[in-house]
């Protein structure tokens, strides 16, 4: 074993270094496929809910008012915030694996129960809203538990591209949701179609729940919570799979070890870490999360309104344009995500934020001049969000790797909640600017605001960004349990020093 007790009762271990020196193996592929589906489910859920809104207002379904239909999305987002904060605390306390099993089960139950909404009265509407809250809570909890698990178990050279790619798969879910809604709402009676649409996610969740049951706990989490023997067993199994794949593992020197004495990170510890010890990083994380959330919520939730009111696209055909928009968002993280590991976090995050903001301003001018069509507007948005999507995904990566392991999931939850609260302003503001679709100059100003917000996020990254590419997590953010003054570094790390 490479985890040994010292004379002072602490534990000295090379487990973090052993995790980071691993080459890619089938274990990592299974890990990503099993955990990364959370974002697919979120994209699917939000798209389905948006698509069935008009159907839920019909007399033969639930006869909901426009306000009640809007509340369906709002309650889901509130559930996400609650789930992130509640389950994020538990993920740090009870473990990543325990929580990513629980949160997926919560989502499965909430969304599955949504499809069982019966009746047409107030009771049915209340029941629907409650189930959407539960489903949102499950997905919110997934964000905190899974971002932590992925970052702690993926080798440092791959961490950026994998985390960004996984977050970007939200848009794969949006595409699946759009296609599902088009089929279920057009090929089946509305009263049946909207219910079957909400069952798409739970069907996928059942399969993933089965796959996840064989995933281990994060060895890093086990080590930092005094369970070194369990951590050794997990890392030995992962290394064995690498050997079976024919991949040679370089030796790990004792100088790569970290010495720790486990500590418990409660709410007081979290507040100290976020607002005293690493307040600059908190400003960075909040800035990146708020700016991308504002832009995305503003554009995505009013996308159909722009197409129908300014370009005359029928409500039935609007989802087809959404597929193109989603493809641009999906391709960005999947194609340029690796550059966040090679070129570096600061230049790529700041570059994608600022470039997408500038491109949005240019597109806003063309929109105001009336030279765009529904097709060219969609193409323009595809280009803008090709870069914005990679940057937004990197925001989640940033908040999950720049804080100590003991409070990592809680930190993710806090910034996710903050972003959702500020992001909720976007749809309201842009919906007001769109109005009846008779004054494009009002929306032109709104687009300029959105572009400026993204540029601000990019500037904050330039000033406060952390060079985390290819560095061990313990070097990016020293664990609270660590007894040494600085974390060990591996050969090949390109950043220098411990940036605060």
């Amino acid at each position: 074993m490479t985890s040994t007790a010292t004379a002072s009762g602490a534990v000295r271990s090379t487990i973090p270094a052993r995790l980071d020196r691993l080459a890619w193996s089938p274990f990592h592929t299974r890990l990503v496929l099993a955990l990364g589906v959370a974002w697919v489910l979120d994209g699917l859920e939000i798209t389905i809910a948006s698509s069935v809104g008009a159907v839920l207002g019909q007399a033969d379904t639930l006869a909901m008012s426009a306000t009640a239909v809007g509340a369906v999305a709002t309650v889901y987002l509130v559930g996400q915030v609650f789930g992130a904060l509640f389950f994020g605390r538990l993920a740090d306390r009870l473990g990543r694996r325990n929580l990513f099993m629980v949160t997926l089960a919560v989502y499965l139950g909430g969304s599955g129960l949504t499809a069982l909404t019966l009746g047409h009265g107030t009771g049915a509407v209340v029941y629907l809203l409650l189930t959407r809250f539960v489903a949102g809570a499950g997905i919110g909890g997934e964000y905190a538990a899974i971002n932590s698990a992925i970052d702690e178990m993926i080798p440092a050279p791959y961490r950026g591209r994998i985390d960004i790619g996984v977050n970007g798969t939200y848009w794969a879910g949006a595409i699946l949701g759009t296609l599902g809604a088009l089929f279920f709402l057009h090929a089946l009676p509305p009263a049946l179609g909207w219910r079957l649409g909400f069952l798409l996610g739970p069907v996928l969740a059942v399969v993933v729940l089965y796959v996840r049951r064989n995933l281990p706990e994060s060895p890093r989490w086990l080590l930092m919570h005094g369970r070194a023997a369990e951590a050794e067993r997990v890392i030995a199994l992962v290394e064995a799979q690498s050997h079976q794949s024919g991949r040679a593992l370089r030796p790990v020197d004792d100088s790569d070890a970290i010495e720790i004495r486990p500590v418990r990170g409660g709410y007081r510890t979290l507040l100290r870490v976020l607002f005293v010890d690493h307040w600059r990083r908190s400003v960075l994380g909040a800035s990146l999360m708020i700016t991308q959330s504002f832009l995305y919520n503003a554009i995505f939730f009013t996308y159909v309104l722009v197409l129908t009111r300014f370009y005359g696209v029928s409500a039935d055909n609007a989802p087809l344009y959404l597929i193109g928009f989603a493809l641009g968002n999906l391709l960005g993280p999947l194609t340029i995500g690796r550059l966040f590991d090679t070129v570096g976090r600061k230049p790529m995050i700041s570059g994608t934020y600022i470039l997408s903001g500038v491109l949005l301003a240019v597109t806003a001018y063309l929109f105001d001049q009336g030279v765009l069509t529904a097709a060219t507007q969609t193409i323009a948005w595809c280009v803008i969000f090709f870069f914005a999507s990679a940057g937004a995904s990197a925001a989640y990566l940033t908040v999950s790797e720049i804080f100590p392991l003991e409070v990592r999931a809680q930190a993710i939850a806090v910034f996710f909640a903050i972003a959702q609260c500020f992001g909720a302003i976007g749809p309201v503001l842009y919906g007001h600017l769109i109005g009846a679709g008779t004054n494009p100059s009002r929306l032109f100003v709104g687009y300029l605001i959105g572009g400026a917000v993204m540029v601000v996020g990019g500037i904050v990254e330039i000033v406060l960004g952390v060079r985390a590419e290819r560095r061990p997590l313990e070097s990016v953010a020293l664990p609270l349990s660590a007894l040494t003054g600085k974390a060990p570094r591996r050969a090949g790390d390109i950043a220098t020093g411990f940036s605060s």
Side-chain angles (χ1 to χ4, degrees):
M1 286 181 27
T2 58
S3 297
T4 57
T6 66
S8 62
V11 174
R12 182 175 176 82
S13 177
T14 58
I15 282 179
R18 291 164 66 187
L19 282 167
D20 284 328
R21 60 85 186 262
L22 292 172
W24 194 264
S25 70
F27 166 79
H28 298 109
T29 301
R30 289 195 300 273
L31 178 75
V32 171
L33 291 177
L35 299 185
V37 75
W39 287 263
V40 176
L41 292 174
D42 190 21
L44 188 152
E45 283 291 311
I46 288 181
T47 306
I48 289 289
S50 300
S51 300
V52 305
V55 174
L56 295 179
Q58 297 177 5
D60 59 343
T61 58
L62 296 182
M64 295 172 64
S65 67
T67 301
V69 171
V72 172
T74 300
V75 167
Y76 178 80
L77 294 177
V78 171
Q80 282 191 316
V81 171
F82 170 82
L85 294 172
F86 179 74
F87 291 117
R89 171 75 178 102
L90 293 180
D92 279 334
R93 183 177 180 181
L94 303 179
R96 315 314 190 198
R97 184 185 185 279
N98 288 333
L99 266 295
F100 65 60
M101 296 295 288
V102 170
T103 53
L104 186 60
V106 170
Y107 159 76
L108 193 160
S111 194
L113 291 172
T114 297
L116 297 179
T117 305
L118 302 175
H120 297 78
T122 302
V125 173
V126 172
Y127 172 85
L128 173 67
L129 295 176
L130 286 175
T131 60
R132 299 315 299 151
F133 178 87
V134 173
I139 292 296
E142 288 269 287
Y143 278 125
I146 288 175
N147 261 321
S148 301
I150 287 178
D151 283 352
E152 289 166 15
M153 297 178 74
I154 295 296
Y158 304 98
R159 188 174 65 238
R161 72 194 74 182
I162 295 302
D163 197 298
I164 289 171
V166 164
N167 280 280
T169 57
Y170 172 97
W171 297 101
I175 294 172
L176 290 175
T178 301
L179 294 175
L182 287 172
F183 173 76
F184 288 118
L185 297 181
H186 290 81
L188 298 171
L192 176 62
W194 78 264
R195 290 179 169 86
L196 292 180
F198 276 114
L199 285 179
L200 282 176
V203 169
L204 179 58
V206 169
V207 176
V208 175
L209 197 61
Y210 177 80
V211 176
R212 283 187 183 180
R213 67 189 179 90
N214 292 320
L215 293 179
E217 179 58 82
S218 162
R220 279 185 161 102
W221 183 89
L222 290 170
L223 179 65
M224 299 301 167
H225 286 76
R227 296 159 63 177
E230 292 179 62
E232 283 290 343
R233 287 195 292 270
V234 172
I235 187 63
L237 290 173
V238 176
E239 289 174 332
Q241 293 188 44
S242 294
H243 282 299
Q244 291 171 4
S245 302
R247 301 187 180 270
L249 299 178
R250 69 171 180 83
V252 175
D253 191 84
D254 185 65
S255 62
D256 291 325
I258 185 171
E259 190 171 335
I260 61 105
R261 179 178 288 114
V263 298
R264 184 179 293 274
Y267 290 118
R268 181 178 296 179
T269 301
L270 175 67
L271 293 175
R272 189 194 75 238
V273 168
L274 295 185
F275 301 112
V276 179
D277 298 345
H278 294 299
W279 67 267
R280 289 166 61 90
R281 294 185 175 200
S282 294
V283 172
L284 170 66
S287 299
L288 293 180
M289 293 291 286
I290 289 171
T291 52
Q292 64 84 22
S293 181
F294 176 85
L295 177 69
Y296 262 98
N297 286 356
I299 300 298
F300 184 57
F301 285 109
T302 60
Y303 184 93
V304 173
L305 288 178
V306 173
L307 292 176
T308 55
R309 297 188 181 182
F310 285 103
Y311 295 111
V313 176
S314 68
D316 290 339
N317 291 328
L320 298 176
Y321 291 87
L322 178 61
I323 293 176
F325 176 71
L327 278 173
N329 279 273
L330 177 62
L331 291 175
L334 295 182
T335 56
I336 65 174
R338 64 183 183 84
L339 299 179
F340 289 77
D341 284 321
T342 55
V343 175
R345 303 284 199 266
K346 290 185 70 170
M348 287 303 300
I349 295 175
S350 60
T352 51
Y353 268 67
I354 292 174
L355 180 58
S356 59
V358 171
L359 290 175
L360 180 59
V362 172
T363 303
Y365 174 78
L366 297 177
F367 168 79
D368 189 46
Q369 295 300 306
V371 299
L372 296 177
T373 64
T376 54
Q377 176 75 76
T378 300
I379 292 171
W381 275 334
C382 284
V383 174
I384 293 168
F385 286 91
F386 175 90
F387 298 103
S389 180
S393 296
Y396 285 91
L397 166 68
T398 297
V399 299
S400 68
E401 67 182 358
I402 63 175
F403 295 103
L405 180 143
E406 293 86 350
V407 296
R408 176 167 292 125
Q410 295 175 83
I412 295 170
V414 166
F415 291 108
F416 174 78
I418 292 173
Q420 290 294 77
C421 292
F422 278 90
I425 299 172
V428 177
L429 172 62
Y430 280 66
H432 173 71
L433 294 177
I434 291 170
T438 58
N439 188 355
S441 295
R442 284 159 50 101
L443 189 54
F444 164 68
V445 173
Y447 285 149
L448 290 182
I449 293 173
V453 164
M454 286 297 282
V455 170
V456 168
I459 293 173
V460 173
E461 173 65 25
I462 292 175
V463 176
L464 300 178
V466 178
R467 293 183 175 89
E469 60 273 9
R470 303 200 299 275
R471 293 175 60 184
L473 289 172
E474 293 74 22
S475 177
V476 177
L478 193 68
L480 303 177
S481 304
L483 298 181
T484 51
K486 68 173 187 175
R489 299 176 49 88
R490 296 186 299 109
D493 292 336
I494 63 173
T496 57
F498 179 69
S499 174
S500 61

